[in-house]
């Protein structure tokens, strides 16, 4: 089965004013769709065809640029859409809150660390909150479409929250004000989804 562009689960304008409808339309319908199509082309007829995206990325030959870039782009964006929600966002609580407090000291300190990782990622890339086996969490960033599932990436674990800091994710609305976009992202985080991912990954 070929990979398919996932549905958002909400309208393109649902995250306004934090993320504008036109950016969402282009980001999902053009960029993510492009990664999906190119990933399918890159794995067609190879032994990667039919494998899960997690299996593909976790055992990736990092010299395979087509699969690295497009597989990463497919996975990263799929996570990105799911960890945002305009309505039923929940709130940080339970074991994930305890893990964040243990790792960072407080939610505010975590927010600062995550925001710094996103703001200081040079050029294009992502910032992540990851969970390690046993439940410890870590913040890190990766360039381009790399992610913590890939071999040799400096931060490990399973991504449970990610923010896209490629310019196409925010430039129409925020221009060069990446920190403003990062601050707005915290208004739409779907903590129910992040907590579910934490429980599955620890």
């Amino acid at each position: 089965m070929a990979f398919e562009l996932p549905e958002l689960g909400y309208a393109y304008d649902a995250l306004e004013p934090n993320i504008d409808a036109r950016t969402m339309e282009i980001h999902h319908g053009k960029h993510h769709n492009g990664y999906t199509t190119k990933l399918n082309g890159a794995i067609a007829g190879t032994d990667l065809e039919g494998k899960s995206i997690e299996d593909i990325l976790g055992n990736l030959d990092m010299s395979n640029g087509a699969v690295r870039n497009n597989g990463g782009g497919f996975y990263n964006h799929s996570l990105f859409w799911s960890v945002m929600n305009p309505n039923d966002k929940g709130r940080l609580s339970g074991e994930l809150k305890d893990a964040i407090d243990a790792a960072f000291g407080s939610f505010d300190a975590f927010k600062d660390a995550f925001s710094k990782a996103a703001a200081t990622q040079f050029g294009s890339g992502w910032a992540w909150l990851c969970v390690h086996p046993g439940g410890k969490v870590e913040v890190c960033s990766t360039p381009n479409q790399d992610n913590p599932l890939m071999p040799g990436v400096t931060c490990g674990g399973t991504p449970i929250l990610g923010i896209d800091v490629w310019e196409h994710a925010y430039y129409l609305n925020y221009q060069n004000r990446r920190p403003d976009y990062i601050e707005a992202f915290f208004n739409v985080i779907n903590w129910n989804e992040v907590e579910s991912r934490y429980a599955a990954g620890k």
Side-chain angles (χ1 to χ4, degrees):
M1 289 289 291
F3 291 105
E4 296 182 356
L5 180 69
E7 297 290 333
L8 287 180
Y10 44 85
Y12 284 138
D13 65 356
L15 300 177
E16 290 189 335
N18 299 287
I19 302 178
D20 63 284
R22 184 61 175 152
T23 292
M24 290 294 295
E25 180 182 359
I26 295 170
H27 200 172
H28 177 259
K30 302 294 185 184
H31 289 280
H32 196 186
N33 192 46
Y35 288 123
T36 305
T37 300
K38 291 176 184 176
L39 171 61
N40 286 326
I43 65 173
T46 74
D47 59 359
L48 300 177
E49 199 168 19
K51 293 185 176 180
S52 71
I53 189 63
E54 292 83 3
D55 191 14
I56 290 172
L57 298 182
N59 298 284
L60 183 64
D61 174 0
M62 295 291 274
S63 68
N64 186 337
V67 176
R68 179 179 181 175
N69 295 330
N70 295 298
F74 174 81
Y75 175 90
N76 297 351
H77 287 89
S78 298
L79 183 148
F80 185 54
W81 312 132
S82 73
V83 298
M84 296 188 292
N85 191 320
N87 298 313
D88 184 22
K89 297 187 286 287
R91 61 186 179 84
L92 179 61
S93 61
E95 291 186 344
L96 176 56
K97 182 180 185 301
D98 292 342
I100 284 176
D101 287 345
F104 301 97
S106 68
F107 173 78
D108 287 342
F110 153 69
K111 183 179 178 182
D112 287 346
F114 185 88
S115 299
K116 182 178 180 181
T120 60
Q121 171 57 47
F122 180 76
S124 302
W126 294 75
W128 307 99
L129 175 66
C130 302
V131 59
H132 293 269
K136 182 180 178 181
V137 293
E138 174 187 7
V139 160
C140 63
S141 62
T142 56
N144 302 316
Q145 295 296 351
D146 288 358
N147 67 49
L149 297 180
M150 295 176 177
V153 173
T154 53
C155 57
T158 301
I160 60 174
L161 177 68
I163 182 173
D164 188 346
V165 292
W166 285 61
E167 285 190 342
H168 66 239
Y170 62 89
Y171 203 83
L172 287 180
N173 195 32
Y174 294 97
Q175 288 80 52
N176 64 335
R177 303 189 309 276
R178 185 190 287 187
D180 292 349
Y181 157 68
I182 296 165
E183 180 67 28
F185 174 72
F186 275 87
N187 295 328
V188 294
I189 292 175
N190 180 359
W191 287 110
N192 293 325
E193 176 68 19
V194 181
E195 288 185 11
S196 177
R197 289 176 177 271
Y198 174 78
K202 70 184 179 72

